[in-house]
Amino acid sequence: MKNSKDNKNEKAKDAKSVSEIKKKRKSNVVKTAILSTAFGICASAIVGLSVALYFSQQTVATHEAYQKQMDAVYFRAYYDLLDGANDLGINLRKIGVSNSPKMQQDLLYEVWNVAGLAEDDLSSFESQSDGVMNARKFVNQLGDFSHALALKISRGEKLSASDKQTLFKLSKVADAYRVALESVGDKVKDGQTFIDSGALDGFDGAFETFAEPSFDYPEMIYDGPFSSALEGREPIGLVGEEISQDKARSIVEKIFGAQRIKNVAFQGESNGDIKTFDFTFESDAGNSFVQIARKGGMLVTYNTAPKYDEAVSITEASLTCQRAAIDFASRVGFDDMIVVWSSSADGECVVNLAPVQDGAILYPDLVKVKIRESDRTAIGLDASHYAMNHCVRTLVTPTVSVETAKSAISLQNVSDGRLALIPLRETQEVLTYEFECHEDGTYYIYVDAQTGDEVNILYVIEDENGERTI
């Protein structure tokens, strides 16, 4: 436990560096999830992206509209990837030759941030090719390694010769990563789309080098728990036997029968991280798309292009929407959930729910429910995080009291704090104290319940999509 003034200054300096880097790159951040996406369990996000876009902005109608939406996603993700990759190899070399701890730390945080964004953007392409999966593994582990070195510097330690040698090797991989991305750009010049130009198929081929056995990939990267979560990861939240397509249809009809559904149509099977039977149907709520897990029959995804009535005020809708979200989640099989976040925009309220174990909120197991504010009808659900991660944990006993953890926070207006299990970029789960803080805005600060270290800081922003954290 670190109580000295020097260590406090070092942690404040560390947090400040993170804040500066995130602020610097805020214009490139494309993150639409509310609290869950700030914690980002990226493997599960693959399942819901196409579905969410397919039914967003009240357009579900035509294949052409769907293609335009997906092209927008691919272009945005691609150019974000290219923008981040341009300086990645250079920054890694700069770290290796710099003798300034401050310069090294700033650059390491920059690499950490770019790697985190790249992992999200690579997920947007929903590729299961070995090359792309290895590229995702590269940016995942690069981020972990960079963050570990930045924390090492914050403790007053110096980068070793081995650290610098690994950084140089990683810069070579980063160069190959950049070249792969640049090669995709040749297919989307002159206004061609990703889908029509074949660039989407070419995206997999661009990373073939990463799948070659002879590829010089440094294995000395920090290899913490769950660091290979992207490879062959099984959804541990799914229980039960494999079900048939007919059984999945009957589950859909049972769950949504009260909405007088009609024209239930089987759309195929999804074979991503969570294998599902996919259906569409029509109801009083609108045109809907659902995914039922083939293992156990869990409702994984539900999205509706809603029929809007005049929206009510956010204040009026908030509590009743939260109750409606809890009721709907319970009805479809998610019991004992509490509200951990809600945000309203454009007549919709998104409510994040999470289970609690031994007094700790299990943030990796989020279930997101979307409620239409005018009549409190559930028009969306995303349980992919729950399906991927839910299980009974063996939680550590805190060695730092909540009072001690709170005293380490420099802000004045701080909540009492509560236990929360949070994911750190897919590599580990950490038991923390969560503090809501208000000072020139709202922050959520997470303090490790074992060490007293700050492990995450989120800032709440408000835009046209409601409130979200970054």
Side-chain angles (χ1 to χ4, degrees):
M1 185 167 65
K2 302 177 182 178
N3 292 320
S4 71
K5 181 177 180 181
D6 288 341
N7 283 339
K8 286 182 180 179
N9 289 336
E10 289 173 353
K11 291 299 174 183
K13 182 179 178 182
D14 194 11
K16 182 179 179 182
S17 296
V18 176
S19 176
E20 290 173 351
I21 292 299
K22 287 187 175 181
K23 182 176 180 181
K24 175 183 174 183
R25 296 192 61 81
K26 184 170 68 174
S27 62
N28 290 326
V29 176
V30 185
K31 294 182 183 289
T32 58
I34 303 175
L35 192 57
S36 62
T37 332
F39 294 137
I41 313 274
C42 300
S44 59
I46 300 174
V47 178
L49 177 64
S50 297
V51 175
L53 287 164
Y54 191 91
F55 289 95
S56 65
Q57 304 299 323
Q58 305 156 43
T59 58
V60 206
T62 67
H63 180 65
E64 181 181 355
Y66 172 70
Q67 283 192 329
K68 288 180 179 179
Q69 290 174 345
M70 291 310 301
D71 257 322
V73 173
Y74 296 141
F75 270 107
R76 182 182 64 191
Y78 172 69
Y79 284 111
D80 282 345
L81 284 167
L82 194 58
D83 180 60
N86 282 333
D87 295 328
L88 200 54
I90 294 173
N91 283 341
L92 288 167
R93 291 183 180 87
K94 287 180 179 179
I95 298 165
V97 301
S98 172
N99 287 320
S100 165
K102 174 64 168 60
M103 175 67 73
Q104 291 172 342
Q105 191 176 53
D106 287 347
L107 290 169
L108 285 165
Y109 277 128
E110 173 74 10
V111 171
W112 176 43
N113 187 58
V114 169
L117 298 179
E119 192 174 345
D120 290 343
D121 289 327
L122 284 169
S123 298
S124 299
F125 289 89
E126 301 179 313
S127 173
Q128 299 298 315
S129 75
D130 289 342
V132 175
M133 294 297 283
N134 283 343
R136 289 178 59 197
K137 177 183 176 181
F138 163 64
V139 296
N140 174 276
Q141 293 186 322
L142 174 61
D144 291 335
F145 184 59
S146 301
H147 190 218
L149 291 185
L151 292 178
K152 179 179 181 178
I153 293 172
S154 73
R155 294 192 297 267
E157 302 177 40
K158 293 183 178 181
L159 299 185
S160 67
S162 176
D163 291 334
K164 292 185 176 183
Q165 183 182 28
T166 301
L167 288 168
F168 180 75
K169 289 184 177 181
L170 288 171
S171 72
K172 296 292 188 181
V173 183
D175 290 343
Y177 167 74
R178 173 182 53 78
V179 170
L181 287 169
E182 289 175 346
S183 70
V184 179
D186 294 336
K187 293 183 177 294
V188 291
K189 292 178 180 178
D190 303 322
Q192 296 185 76
T193 67
F194 256 90
I195 296 174
D196 292 340
S197 69
L200 190 56
D201 295 332
F203 192 85
D204 288 356
F207 290 94
E208 285 181 352
T209 302
F210 280 75
E212 295 175 2
S214 60
F215 186 69
D216 187 16
Y217 183 86
E219 294 296 337
M220 296 86 74
I221 298 176
Y222 168 72
D223 197 21
F226 306 115
S227 63
S228 295
L230 292 172
E231 296 182 285
R233 187 181 180 202
E234 293 294 328
I236 61 177
L238 299 178
V239 295
E241 301 297 324
E242 294 285 330
I243 65 171
S244 66
Q245 182 190 137
D246 289 341
K247 176 63 176 177
R249 178 187 291 268
S250 69
I251 291 173
V252 172
E253 293 171 344
K254 180 179 179 181
I255 290 175
F256 298 100
Q259 298 181 9
R260 297 192 295 276
I261 66 174
K262 59 183 179 180
N263 298 331
V264 179
F266 177 63
Q267 297 297 318
E269 301 180 14
S270 294
N271 293 299
D273 294 326
I274 303 173
K275 296 176 173 56
T276 62
F277 291 116
D278 303 343
F279 298 88
T280 57
F281 63 82
E282 300 172 17
S283 73
D284 295 343
N287 298 319
S288 302
F289 179 95
V290 294
Q291 293 183 304
I292 303 295
R294 279 145 51 186
K295 181 178 181 180
M298 177 188 291
L299 173 63
V300 177
T301 305
Y302 161 50
N303 279 288
T304 296
K307 303 170 183 176
Y308 281 93
D309 298 320
E310 185 176 351
V312 298
S313 70
I314 292 176
T315 302
E316 177 187 349
S318 180
L319 289 178
T320 53
C321 283
Q322 291 179 14
R323 286 194 291 269
I326 290 175
D327 290 345
F328 179 74
S330 178
R331 182 163 65 84
V332 300
F334 302 101
D335 297 318
D336 301 322
M337 308 288 281
I338 67 167
V339 175
V340 295
W341 179 273
S342 66
S343 179
S344 297
D346 298 327
E348 297 177 354
C349 183
V350 177
V351 182
N352 283 9
L353 308 173
V356 177
Q357 179 187 323
D358 300 334
I361 299 168
L362 305 181
Y363 274 114
D365 303 358
L366 283 174
V367 174
K368 295 176 285 183
V369 180
K370 185 185 292 185
I371 302 293
R372 184 169 59 194
E373 292 177 339
S374 60
D375 60 4
R376 314 304 187 263
T377 297
I379 57 172
L381 177 140
D382 179 1
S384 52
H385 292 170
Y386 189 98
M388 291 299 298
N389 301 297
H390 183 63
C391 64
V392 176
R393 272 77 166 185
T394 301
L395 299 178
V396 299
T397 301
T399 57
V400 175
S401 69
V402 65
E403 293 80 11
T404 300
K406 183 175 180 178
S407 68
I409 297 175
S410 60
L411 303 181
Q412 298 299 313
N413 190 356
V414 183
S415 68
D416 291 336
R418 59 183 182 179
L419 280 174
L421 186 73
I422 68 169
L424 291 182
R425 300 188 67 257
E426 289 190 27
T427 60
Q428 55 186 313
E429 292 182 338
V430 180
L431 185 64
T432 68
Y433 293 110
E434 176 189 67
F435 297 98
E436 182 178 349
C437 311
H438 299 276
E439 187 171 313
D440 295 325
T442 300
Y443 298 83
Y444 287 88
I445 298 179
Y446 296 86
V447 178
D448 193 319
Q450 292 293 102
T451 66
D453 295 338
E454 290 178 354
V455 292
N456 208 339
I457 299 175
L458 302 175
Y459 179 65
V460 179
I461 64 171
E462 186 172 356
D463 56 22
E464 66 276 7
N465 297 314
E467 290 183 329
R468 58 191 177 96
T469 58
I470 58 173

